[in-house]
């Protein structure tokens, strides 16, 4: 069997006496859609932020593509894409301008229209972010994760507050990204979305 692209062993995160993540273990394999399923407050976001090297763990071990996140977090950041929250976007900029802006932060040369094609938003290239529908905003958030050509992307409850049609389109898009060889880790509180994943870890409060 191939080695997992993510290996989490006995992951724990404490804030004082409160244990946000309680000895969590799971493995993710390359090219799959992996779901973290659980209610709000179960520790899904905290778990993702630790794997993304955005938050320190209390104990346990996390390996991403053979890299121990504790030893070389910078190397992990180079190969992953992380969904940006909508608050991170300048609402007055159009989509091409936003992609160019974030590409500059990554120090990457990109073709903004090609990236928009990958999430079916080329027709909105000159639209401002604030003018997009909820589903379009979520698809654009996926576009921003692709700027640095990651092998692995993380999406934290991407369809919360999105209508049923947009959710269906969103998951169809994830299947297309999977077909391109990108591994996807997505957290969700929705059981029906968990059935669309190749593998699921259930996190309880």
């Amino acid at each position: 069997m191939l080695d997992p692209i993510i290996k989490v062993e006995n992951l724990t995160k404490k804030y004082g006496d409160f244990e946000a993540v309680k000895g969590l273990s799971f493995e993710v394999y390359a090219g799959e859609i992996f779901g973290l399923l659980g209610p709000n407050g179960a520790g899904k976001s905290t778990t993702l932020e630790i794997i993304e090297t955005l938050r320190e763990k209390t104990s346990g071990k996390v390996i991403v593509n053979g890299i121990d996140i504790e030893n070389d977090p910078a190397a992990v950041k180079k190969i992953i894409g992380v969904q940006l929250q909508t608050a991170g976007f300048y609402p007055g900029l159009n989509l091409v301008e936003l992609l160019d802006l974030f590409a500059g932060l990554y120090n990457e040369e990109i073709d903004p229209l090609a990236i928009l094609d990958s999430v079916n938003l080329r027709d909105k290239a000159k639209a401002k972010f604030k003018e997009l529908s909820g589903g379009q905003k979520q698809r654009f958030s996926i576009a921003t994760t692709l700027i640095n050509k990651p092998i692995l992307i993380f999406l934290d409850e991407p369809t919360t507050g999105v209508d049923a049609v947009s959710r269906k389109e969103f998951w169809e898009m994830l299947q297309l990204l999977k077909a391109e060889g990108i591994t996807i880790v997505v957290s969700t509180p929705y059981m029906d979305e968990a059935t669309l994943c190749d593998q699921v870890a259930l996190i309880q409060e």
Side-chain angles (χ1 to χ4, degrees), residues 99 111-123 139-147 169-170 172-178 180 182:
L99 288 175
D111 178 350
L113 293 180
I115 291 178
L116 291 175
D117 278 337
S118 69
V119 294
N120 197 25
L121 283 175
R122 177 183 277 258
D123 62 328
R139 277 188 278 147
F140 183 71
S141 75
I142 294 288
T144 64
T145 72
L146 304 176
I147 288 173
E169 292 175 349
F170 185 86
E172 289 172 350
M173 185 186 64
L174 293 191
Q175 292 293 339
L176 293 175
L177 293 176
K178 173 190 170 182
E180 294 177 8
I182 297 174

Side-chain angles (χ1 to χ4, degrees), residues 93-201:
L93 296 182
N94 68 41
L95 302 195
V96 168
E97 291 168 338
L98 283 169
L99 288 175
D100 281 336
L101 173 65
F102 285 108
L105 297 176
Y106 281 111
N107 196 28
E108 290 279 351
E109 293 287 336
I110 64 165
D111 178 350
L113 293 180
I115 291 178
L116 291 175
D117 278 337
S118 69
V119 294
N120 197 25
L121 283 175
R122 177 183 277 258
D123 62 328
K124 296 295 182 181
K126 296 300 182 182
K128 292 180 171 59
F129 180 76
K130 63 184 179 181
E131 297 168 347
L132 302 180
S133 69
Q136 290 167 343
K137 286 178 178 177
Q138 292 292 29
R139 277 188 278 147
F140 183 71
S141 75
I142 294 288
T144 64
T145 72
L146 304 176
I147 288 173
N148 63 326
K149 304 175 184 65
I151 63 172
L152 175 64
I153 63 175
F154 295 90
L155 310 172
D156 192 2
E157 296 194 5
T159 60
T160 298
V162 176
D163 64 80
V165 172
S166 295
R167 284 176 63 195
K168 180 176 181 293
E169 292 175 349
F170 185 86
W171 277 88
E172 289 172 350
M173 185 186 64
L174 293 191
Q175 292 293 339
L176 293 175
L177 293 176
K178 173 190 170 182
E180 294 177 8
I182 297 174
T183 305
I184 301 165
V185 178
V186 56
S187 70
T188 178
Y190 304 122
M191 183 65 74
D192 61 326
E193 290 191 345
T195 64
L196 301 174
C197 297
D198 298 299
Q199 190 180 183
V200 175

